Amino acid sequence: MSAAKAKMREKKMRNQPASVQYPSPSHVESRAENGGEGDDVRVTGGQSDAHPSWKRQQTPPVRHGWVRGHHNGDGGYDTEMPNHITAGAFARARAAEVSAMLKAATELTCSSHVFRALPKHMRRRAMSHNTKRLPRRLRNVANRMREKSLQAGLKKKKELVKSKSRKARRRHGNLLLEFNRRQRKNIWLETHIWHAKRFHMVKKWGYCLGVRPTYKCYRPCYRAMSSHCLLQDLSYYCCIELKGEEDKLLAALTQLTCKEAGPTFAAAMFLSGARQGSVTVYRAGQYPSDPLGPVTFLWRPQTPGLTPRQLWIWAHPALKQDLLPELQSVCQCSEAMAPPVEPEVSRAEADPSPQAEPNPDNELKAGAKRKRCCKDAGEPPAKRILGDGTRLPTSPVTWRSSSTGIVINDLTMEIVRYRLIGPQSHSVLAETLEAATVCDELKSSPFWWPEHCKDRSNMKLHQQQTDVFNVLKGIYSSGELPPGTVLGLTVDDPRLTLPRQKVKAAPCVNRDQVGDEEKRNQLMLKGVPLQCCQSFLWEQSVRENVTDNKISEQELNRMRTELLVPGSRLGPGPQQGRVPVLLVHQPGKQVGDELGSWGSGWDLLLPKGWGMAFWVPLVYRGVRVAGLHMSLKHSQDKAAPHFPHDYPDCPAGSRFQEEQEAEFLETFRRRPPAKRTNYIKHGCLAPFRCPWQQLAEEWELLATDGGAERKGDGQTQKARKSHEVMEEVTSQQTVAAASPPSFTVLRNRKSLRLLSSWCRPLTCRGQRRGRGAAVALPLSDSAVTSFHSAHKMSVVWVRLTLLSKGKPEAHAMVCAPTAEDLKLFGKSPENCGPQEPPHKDHYKSRINHKKKSSKTATPSQVSDDPTASTDPHSPSDLILGLWPDPLPSVTSHCSRVTLGWVTQGDFSLSVGRGEALGFVSVSGLLHTLLRQPPELRGTLLLRNPTSLHYRFVRLNIDV
Amino acid sequence: MVRVKSRYLLCEINVSDRRDLLKLDDRAVAGSVKAAVARTHGDYGAALCSIRFCVKYLNAHTGIVFLRFHKGFYKLLWSALPFITSIECRGQIIPCFLNCLHVGGTIRTCQKFLIRYNTRQLHQMLPKYKNKVEEKRKIQEAILSCSLTGGGNKALEDELESEEEDDE
């Protein structure tokens, strides 16, 4: 019984008389109080005092609620009985009983109001509000109760009430203080408040991020991505700056990557600084195992005067904690440098600490006085936190190496990064940004731009960049540019050109000039010329100058009011900021044959502090804004793995998987057992996670074991065989218990290309379709064996397109079809696919049995149970509908052999069919492909965890 | 109204030696009632007696006991009560018989009846008693302490105060 229920019961039974009996020695505590019964029982004073048990009775009785159980105990009883009774005692006993009964009969047993004592026909509406509606005899009591309840309400309210009025709390300075206090724990992006008003926010990776808007916009967001422009704030990505000699930097960084997995940091295209590159980083020298995760990187173009190179590595915040120590170790940067004492940075970070805790004296005084106090003290107004508010001001952000001279600088939250996705993102940028106007003042000023304007070469560069930017306006789609193109630019304050109403940025259509056409073609073919990739955003001093000299919104509005013609545009004067920005082209879908360069766009890199100044003008150009949810969908439509969801071999990915499993399990357990999906009956071993390691190990064993009987004729036999093998596996595991090598994700481009060509079906003429035709090695036993020996224990990222209807879900199983399935499929490709026979849930009966036995029998009887002694799982571990750990063989559990699982699946709006992304075991895939007829190669089965229906899918490995 | 209905029997246990009364406890009373019913009505009666039968209250000083029976067959069970001649309690057999004073539909009516019954008894007792002045004064005190007037409201207020203390 719950505590509340017991309390209610106690309250109800408080006035009821308990039995009055002669207490047995162990009975004392169960004797309930009974309206002065203690006095009454002392029948004849002196005599009873002699007996110890009587005395014990006078001790304040322990309230035991409604428990009036009987305790056995009748020793030493006779000696304590009184010998005679008197009339007085007789009368007193009666009198005590009467008073007890009186109390019970007249008082209210229920805990509620007085008028509940009234019969129904005498009750009136709103009686609790107006006591005059009560009969007069009850009025006093009701009044008192009402007062009491009012007071109680006041008391509670008093605790809630803030010391300041709402007006005071909402005053700008105080609001800022409050915001700064709330930013201590999780970093807020600069657009946080804008997002918090419109998005479901979530605290993730130490940031407050918007997941999805509160309004419905799934399809509009997709449309924006595919036809106009979608905007995301990616400032939470961490930027790590590396400075040093080029050869030393490269020597350090090559340990982290491998050429086999694609172009690395040292690729000439990236090294020049003209393109942004992306690479998967491994632990030093560990390729192909121990990957850390994907990063994008950008080299600063070489300037003639500057020998040390500068490199920015952008990493996901979940990856940063792994990446940063690794970088420090490969660069041998162990010396932490004290944070710079420059006033800008230190103030922005150190300011809030004294401001966050306002003076307690000020707090207590009345509003007017507090105001005066603040003015008298002359405190500087609270400053907004820019950058990382959670970091301690003393924690180091820079590390230097004495031996190699490399400096690692953590630029987290120093640079704002906005991502525009969609073919029209360049026109949005072109409308929002305007190349900075030159100001030719001769006298020196604190702003950086007039100083730069004095230098002729700077001006020449600026002119070139402006030209390129103007040409950029004319291109048809953002996807036409070479991937990763970088353009540096200096722009005016975009708030000056803010339209009065939201407009939708349209592509520029006037293509009249002939010269432009040529330039445009040049731009699309060769990208931005190398010298135009330079930007002053790379310079820390310029960044700080720009951040400090930003005109506040208030000041800007004041200047607007002073305009001669109201409503006209504010001209860019010298005091208005010029902002150095970097535009980085973001390639769209690069892999696969369909929908090339879908979802391409631009990244806009800004110095910190200017986030909102650019955000609002961008939003006013009719872009859609999306959160984390859409970025997942974006990568899904691009068929690209999304970090950290689709990197199960990375530490961040495995952490993410654990969190996700716990989350799913939690929601699953919240349902009543009868309403849960019974995954055991569906033959789904792991509905909330993907045991990749187990899958890889099992297939490894199958492949080595099954090599001898390659000629084996069917999958069914194989399945049976695999059963036996699995028995072996489990036995071996228990015996050896040696940790086998962990699985790897295949990222070797050459092997992927080969595998991809093998997966494609042959056309009728025996020709392979697609691009990989030339390089393909024919699929044969020997080729497979050599491939397999090169990539043991690996899984491969695949895209699965459903051939009929159906919507794949996460953790769906990818299975190999049997020969009969393929025959059926060959007859009618619209065939829906085979069914899995329902499995039997052996655990259900065990759970039920356990429940029953625990109810009826004592624990000793349960342990006698033969099933319980053999069963390794205690009933508390068993969850109805889920397989308990350790899982049986995952490959051969169902009637079709499992090859892998889906990590993301949904109905793809871009393809118009269900599409799933996931990993399959390489050995399993090769094994399956060898057995399939060439025209149906790459046809697999997919089954959702909640369904018994297999659906045919086409497997693609996009390289 | 929709509820399980019961009948409450307010019985008086009469014993020859009043000291034996103090030895009674509710479990013993319940046992003897069950035994008597089983004896007179057999297994059927015993089965009926196991449904919602309960000794709600027993005062060992006055010998008052509340028995709860199911309303459907309380008459049958009641008919067995006169056959109780002794109660075995704490290893002793106490010769006694049960005298039913009141049958009520709720425990509250039984309580009300008991109040009336006891006060009447006390009032009857007072003029008869002539031995000792001190004893007589005690009886008077007892009568005064349980007078009905002014009891209700004061008690209610007491309760309110105690509640307030609880809330603190």
Side-chain angles (χ1 to χ4, degrees):
Chain A
M1 185 180 279
S2 66
K5 214 170 171 187
K7 207 175 159 192
M8 275 298 287
R9 173 91 195 180
E10 191 191 339
K11 216 169 180 184
K12 203 172 164 189
M13 299 306 290
R14 173 162 64 182
N15 293 323
Q16 290 299 320
S19 300
V20 182
Q21 296 161 25
Y22 204 81
S24 49
S26 64
H27 196 199
V28 179
E29 75 274 21
S30 74
R31 243 197 70 90
E33 77 299 335
N34 196 0
E37 201 72 47
D39 288 345
D40 148 62
V41 176
R42 226 169 3 145
V43 192
T44 45
Q47 197 182 13
S48 64
D49 279 353
H51 305 303
S53 96
W54 289 107
K55 265 190 185 167
R56 210 180 304 155
Q57 211 175 13
Q58 287 168 17
T59 58
V62 183
R63 252 196 195 188
H64 233 242
W66 53 286
V67 184
R68 282 189 283 164
H70 211 285
H71 301 266
N72 288 326
D74 31 4
Y77 181 75
D78 281 348
T79 55
E80 294 173 25
M81 293 303 286
N83 288 329
H84 59 278
I85 59 164
T86 58
F90 184 85
R92 285 183 73 130
R94 294 290 181 288
E97 194 177 49
V98 166
S99 60
M101 290 296 153
L102 255 177
K103 195 177 174 203
T106 54
E107 283 182 16
L108 311 164
T109 50
C110 54
S111 58
S112 63
H113 285 277
V114 198
F115 45 80
R116 291 279 296 271
L118 278 177
K120 267 203 173 155
H121 67 278
M122 285 176 73
R123 293 187 195 169
R124 294 291 178 269
R125 192 169 56 84
M127 216 149 44
S128 61
H129 173 67
N130 188 356
T131 46
K132 286 195 176 157
R133 291 169 201 246
L134 276 168
R136 201 171 279 167
R137 65 189 165 88
L138 292 175
R139 226 169 263 173
N140 269 337
V141 187
N143 273 334
R144 289 186 55 161
M145 285 197 76
R146 185 157 169 255
E147 263 169 39
K148 210 186 88 188
S149 70
L150 280 179
Q151 274 172 359
L154 278 180
K155 236 183 274 169
K156 245 174 222 167
K157 254 188 192 163
K158 237 177 240 165
E159 289 163 9
L160 288 178
V161 141
K162 295 262 169 67
S163 52
K164 289 178 187 171
S165 66
R166 181 185 154 79
K167 195 179 170 189
R169 270 183 281 130
R170 302 298 295 181
R171 201 173 290 140
H172 182 66
N174 295 341
L175 202 59
L176 265 185
L177 283 180
E178 176 67 11
F179 286 167
N180 286 351
R181 187 187 63 74
R182 278 155 55 187
Q183 286 181 55
R184 310 263 92 192
K185 254 195 198 137
N186 288 290
I187 306 175
W188 284 8
L189 305 185
E190 285 180 24
T191 53
H192 175 85
I193 303 210
W194 192 94
H195 274 100
K197 288 173 182 170
R198 295 163 179 85
F199 277 65
H200 295 293
M201 304 301 282
V202 74
K203 293 187 174 70
K204 236 180 184 179
W205 310 308
Y207 292 83
C208 272
L209 303 172
V211 182
R212 54 158 70 88
T214 50
Y215 45 87
K216 289 184 185 175
C217 68
Y218 179 69
R219 264 162 200 270
C221 279
Y222 170 75
R223 275 200 293 271
M225 252 194 289
S226 55
S227 61
H228 192 246
C229 180
L230 186 83
L231 179 61
Q232 282 179 323
D233 190 352
L234 287 191
S235 310
Y236 62 92
Y237 266 73
C238 302
C239 179
I240 298 169
E241 187 183 56
L242 271 73
K243 268 190 216 165
E245 301 290 329
E246 183 180 309
D247 46 350
K248 280 176 184 159
L249 270 180
L250 284 179
L253 290 173
T254 39
Q255 300 173 38
L256 300 178
T257 55
C258 182
K259 267 185 199 166
E260 285 177 3
T264 62
F265 289 106
M269 185 168 58
F270 304 140
L271 197 58
S272 66
R275 302 281 166 84
Q276 179 192 246
S278 67
V279 73
T280 308
V281 175
Y282 290 78
R283 280 198 197 282
Q286 293 286 318
Y287 177 86
S289 58
D290 274 346
L292 290 175
V295 296
T296 58
F297 61 93
L298 184 60
W299 286 93
R300 182 178 184 177
Q302 217 154 11
T303 40
L306 228 58
T307 38
R309 296 295 304 266
Q310 210 172 340
L311 169 70
W312 279 350
I313 297 177
W314 291 84
H316 193 275
L319 169 63
K320 187 184 150 192
Q321 51 170 312
D322 304 320
L323 180 66
L324 199 55
E326 199 62 35
L327 278 177
Q328 281 169 15
S329 72
V330 294
C331 299
Q332 298 154 17
C333 293
S334 47
E335 290 172 47
M337 281 163 64
V341 283
E342 291 146 28
E344 289 81 28
V345 178
S346 56
R347 196 171 65 206
E349 292 188 344
D351 227 13
S353 43
Q355 292 279 331
E357 289 93 39
N359 208 343
D361 306 335
N362 291 354
E363 202 74 13
L364 295 174
K365 284 169 195 163
K369 212 165 184 187
R370 184 172 57 226
K371 205 167 167 186
R372 215 181 313 133
C373 270
C374 277
K375 266 182 193 162
D376 289 345
E379 286 175 57
K383 200 162 165 122
R384 227 186 126 185
I385 294 184
L386 292 174
D388 191 349
T390 58
R391 193 160 48 195
L392 284 176
T394 51
S395 63
V397 290
T398 311
W399 295 268
R400 177 202 286 280
S401 154
S402 48
S403 55
T404 54
I406 298 174
V407 178
I408 297 180
N409 204 350
D410 184 4
L411 291 185
T412 307
M413 296 302 289
E414 292 291 306
I415 294 166
V416 176
R417 189 178 183 121
Y418 293 156
R419 175 162 291 178
L420 293 100
I421 304 166
Q424 292 306 317
S425 44
H426 67 280
S427 22
V428 171
L429 281 178
E431 252 185 64
T432 314
L433 307 180
E434 257 174 39
T437 42
V438 182
C439 52
D440 29 337
E441 274 181 85
L442 290 176
K443 62 178 194 294
S444 65
S445 70
F447 305 107
W448 72 283
W449 182 245
E451 296 298 309
H452 274 274
C453 286
K454 284 172 193 162
D455 194 341
R456 186 62 56 82
S457 64
N458 280 342
M459 280 303 84
K460 198 178 151 206
L461 177 65
H462 178 65
Q463 194 52 47
Q464 282 174 343
Q465 287 176 340
T466 314
D467 286 345
V468 173
F469 185 62
N470 287 334
V471 173
L472 187 68
K473 287 175 188 172
I475 61 168
Y476 175 67
S477 151
S478 330
E480 291 175 348
L481 288 167
T485 310
V486 177
L487 173 63
L489 198 62
T490 309
V491 296
D492 274 335
D493 191 341
R495 290 174 293 180
L496 299 178
T497 53
L498 188 70
R500 298 174 110 200
Q501 277 183 333
K502 227 177 190 179
V503 290
K504 192 155 185 179
C508 181
V509 281
N510 54 339
R511 303 187 172 194
D512 41 0
Q513 291 153 358
V514 184
D516 266 10
E517 186 68 43
E518 206 168 292
K519 274 185 195 167
R520 214 176 293 130
N521 286 341
Q522 198 74 11
L523 182 68
M524 289 196 300
L525 290 174
K526 288 190 178 165
V528 175
L530 185 55
Q531 68 271 21
C532 293
C533 304
Q534 190 58 265
S535 169
F536 289 104
L537 193 66
W538 289 94
E539 301 267 1
Q540 191 177 6
S541 58
V542 173
R543 280 205 307 267
E544 276 156 11
N545 189 306
V546 171
T547 304
D548 289 340
N549 294 327
K550 186 189 160 200
I551 298 178
S552 70
E553 196 77 18
Q554 189 187 12
E555 184 72 7
L556 206 68
N557 285 338
R558 195 188 54 73
M559 278 152 66
R560 281 203 186 113
T561 57
E562 285 170 1
L563 278 177
L564 270 181
V565 185
S568 62
R569 265 211 180 141
L570 207 58
Q575 73 273 35
Q576 263 113 25
R578 309 293 198 282
V579 190
V581 298
L582 262 179
L583 298 173
V584 181
H585 181 256
Q586 210 56 37
K589 187 170 177 175
Q590 288 174 300
V591 293
D593 303 332
E594 315 98 10
L595 289 166
S597 79
W598 181 92
S600 61
W602 287 89
D603 275 11
L604 179 61
L605 271 60
L606 306 168
K608 74 171 174 185
W610 283 85
M612 276 319 282
F614 279 79
W615 185 264
V616 173
L618 283 173
V619 170
Y620 264 60
R621 262 63 184 205
V623 301
R624 283 249 161 213
V625 182
L628 294 177
H629 180 64
M630 255 310 140
S631 57
L632 182 65
K633 290 289 165 210
H634 177 229
S635 64
Q636 195 176 324
D637 277 342
K638 280 202 305 185
H642 189 252
F643 192 83
H645 298 62
D646 305 324
Y647 284 82
D649 51 340
C650 301
S654 58
R655 276 197 299 272
F656 173 82
Q657 238 195 353
E658 277 164 27
E659 282 165 29
Q660 201 186 28
E661 189 196 352
E663 193 182 307
F664 282 149
L665 197 62
E666 184 56 33
T667 46
F668 181 73
R669 289 181 103 149
R670 272 205 298 259
R671 297 183 79 84
K675 303 284 183 290
R676 288 179 196 159
T677 314
N678 191 336
Y679 287 109
I680 301 178
K681 283 192 174 175
H682 283 105
C684 177
L685 286 178
F688 304 137
R689 72 198 152 108
C690 308
W692 299 115
Q693 181 69 34
Q694 196 183 348
L695 178 86
E697 278 169 28
E698 283 179 15
W699 269 113
E700 201 54 38
L701 213 76
L702 271 178
T704 50
D705 223 66
E709 47 128 24
R710 266 277 149 75
K711 308 288 180 280
D713 47 349
Q715 292 260 328
T716 46
Q717 192 186 346
K718 194 75 205 167
R720 214 178 311 129
K721 174 79 188 166
S722 68
H723 249 304
E724 292 157 21
V725 171
M726 276 325 114
E727 299 299 318
E728 232 171 272
V729 172
T730 42
S731 64
Q732 274 177 4
Q733 274 171 349
T734 47
V735 172
S739 62
S742 62
F743 73 100
T744 52
V745 174
L746 182 61
R747 293 201 178 91
N748 186 337
R749 308 265 298 180
K750 223 185 230 170
S751 311
L752 277 176
R753 220 166 275 149
L754 189 62
L755 202 56
S756 165
S757 69
W758 283 344
C759 292
R760 294 209 183 93
L762 296 174
T763 50
C764 331
R765 279 168 289 159
Q767 298 257 313
R768 285 172 196 280
R769 287 181 295 169
R771 297 180 293 190
V775 292
L777 203 72
L779 184 65
S780 63
D781 272 354
S782 58
V784 164
T785 320
S786 64
F787 189 92
H788 178 249
S789 60
H791 303 289
K792 282 188 170 170
M793 294 284 288
S794 50
V795 293
V796 64
W797 174 251
V798 295
R799 179 168 62 91
L800 304 157
T801 316
L802 279 149
L803 296 174
S804 56
K805 61 183 184 176
K807 181 192 159 208
E809 282 161 17
H811 306 301
M813 279 156 282
V814 183
C815 302
T818 59
E820 294 87 73
D821 292 340
L822 283 181
K823 233 179 265 168
L824 270 177
F825 177 69
K827 270 182 208 159
S828 60
E830 293 309 303
N831 182 12
C832 275
Q835 289 268 352
E836 168 82 15
H839 291 229
K840 198 159 162 52
D841 184 359
H842 299 287
Y843 291 95
K844 192 174 184 181
S845 59
R846 206 172 295 176
I847 288 173
N848 288 342
H849 180 69
K850 285 283 152 56
K851 239 189 244 163
K852 237 177 249 169
S853 65
S854 66
K855 257 184 207 165
T856 54
T858 56
S860 63
Q861 277 170 317
V862 171
S863 62
D864 288 341
D865 199 325
T867 58
S869 54
T870 55
D871 180 24
H873 320 297
S874 68
S876 57
D877 291 347
L878 293 174
I879 305 169
L880 185 66
L882 282 187
W883 269 94
D885 275 330
L887 299 179
S889 151
V890 288
T891 49
S892 57
H893 184 67
C894 305
S895 60
R896 312 301 191 275
V897 186
T898 306
L899 297 178
W901 290 280
V902 166
T903 57
Q904 297 171 33
D906 201 355
F907 184 83
S908 166
L909 291 172
S910 53
V911 183
R913 273 165 191 264
E915 257 205 330
L917 299 166
F919 292 97
V920 296
S921 159
V922 171
S923 333
L925 182 64
L926 291 175
H927 179 266
T928 313
L929 288 177
L930 268 181
R931 271 152 195 78
Q932 287 184 334
E935 66 274 9
L936 287 176
R937 219 164 255 169
T939 309
L940 297 182
L941 291 171
L942 185 79
R943 183 161 74 88
N944 278 341
T946 53
S947 145
L948 289 172
H949 201 124
Y950 288 99
R951 305 222 178 246
F952 284 107
V953 287
R954 157 91 45 236
L955 176 104
N956 293 297
I957 295 177
D958 299 329
V959 188
Chain B
M1 291 291 282
V2 185
R3 60 174 172 181
V4 183
K5 291 194 178 172
S6 313
R7 282 283 179 260
Y8 293 88
L9 266 63
L10 170 57
C11 300
E12 190 182 35
I13 300 172
N14 291 319
V15 285
S16 51
D17 185 359
R18 287 214 64 90
R19 270 179 297 170
D20 287 343
L21 208 54
L22 288 174
K23 293 170 190 165
L24 288 176
D25 61 5
D26 47 2
R27 188 175 279 190
V29 174
S32 60
V33 169
K34 272 182 186 164
V37 171
R39 208 163 54 240
T40 47
H41 299 295
D43 284 350
Y44 176 64
L48 291 185
C49 198
S50 65
I51 302 169
R52 284 184 62 73
F53 166 67
C54 161
V55 177
K56 290 302 276 189
Y57 173 78
L58 168 75
N59 194 334
H61 293 281
T62 56
I64 297 294
V65 62
F66 286 176
L67 302 176
R68 184 183 68 185
F69 291 129
H70 195 280
K71 193 193 166 198
F73 33 82
Y74 80 99
K75 278 186 179 164
L76 184 88
L77 302 177
W78 188 8
S79 67
L81 290 189
F83 295 96
I84 296 175
T85 53
S86 64
I87 294 174
E88 192 190 348
C89 182
R90 307 188 200 227
Q92 289 184 338
I93 293 172
I94 305 163
C96 65
F97 65 90
L98 291 183
N99 183 14
C100 186
L101 301 176
H102 178 78
V103 179
T106 62
I107 212 164
R108 205 171 142 92
T109 56
C110 292
Q111 285 167 344
K112 280 178 179 168
F113 175 82
L114 185 62
I115 293 163
R116 246 181 314 142
Y117 175 77
N118 273 345
T119 41
R120 203 175 61 226
Q121 277 214 322
L122 285 177
H123 283 291
Q124 281 171 359
M125 206 172 122
L126 186 62
K128 281 184 202 163
Y129 200 80
K130 290 171 184 102
N131 280 1
K132 284 182 192 169
V133 185
E134 197 201 350
E135 293 286 320
K136 193 164 183 175
R137 196 182 52 77
K138 273 186 182 169
I139 297 168
Q140 271 175 336
E141 266 176 22
I143 292 171
L144 283 176
S145 73
C146 65
S147 58
L148 270 169
T149 53
N153 265 352
K154 212 187 106 200
L156 198 58
E157 279 164 23
D158 284 351
E159 184 206 29
L160 284 178
E161 269 148 29
S162 72
E163 256 179 23
E164 272 163 31
E165 280 156 20
D166 285 351
D167 293 341
E168 290 309 312

